[in-house]
Amino acid sequence: MISQELAMGLALIGMGLFFLQRAVWIVAETRKGQWLKSRLGEDRAVMTVRLIAMSFALMGGLLAAGVIEPLRWE
């Protein structure tokens, strides 16, 4: 059976890689992307979206590897 941490980590990795691939589309077609583009310029907006996507993938990898753990409310 797959642990919850592994499942969440793999989901974050997948989401991060998807957004990394779609960074240009996100900047061009979404309201938040266009807001970033107006604030930072197109190149920096795409770089910012890619940086956020890479951080999602990194956090997912760390979660899946068991280096970090999710918050638990007890």
Side-chain angles (χ1 to χ4, degrees):
M1 176 131 176
I2 190 168
S3 70
Q4 290 179 353
E5 289 85 6
L6 182 60
M8 286 188 297
L10 292 175
L12 279 173
I13 291 171
M15 196 169 60
L17 293 176
F18 177 76
F19 288 135
L20 185 63
Q21 181 184 12
R22 298 285 185 153
V24 175
W25 179 85
I26 290 170
V27 170
E29 299 294 328
T30 65
R31 280 188 297 173
K32 298 291 185 185
Q34 290 176 359
W35 180 82
L36 272 176
K37 186 168 128 180
S38 71
R39 295 281 185 176
L40 303 174
E42 187 169 358
D43 292 336
R44 285 191 181 196
V46 171
M47 177 102 47
T48 302
V49 171
R50 286 181 178 158
L51 185 68
I52 292 168
M54 284 188 280
S55 67
F56 265 82
L58 175 66
M59 293 298 281
L62 291 174
L63 184 62
V67 176
I68 59 174
E69 294 185 11
L71 293 174
R72 298 187 192 279
W73 301 99
E74 297 183 66

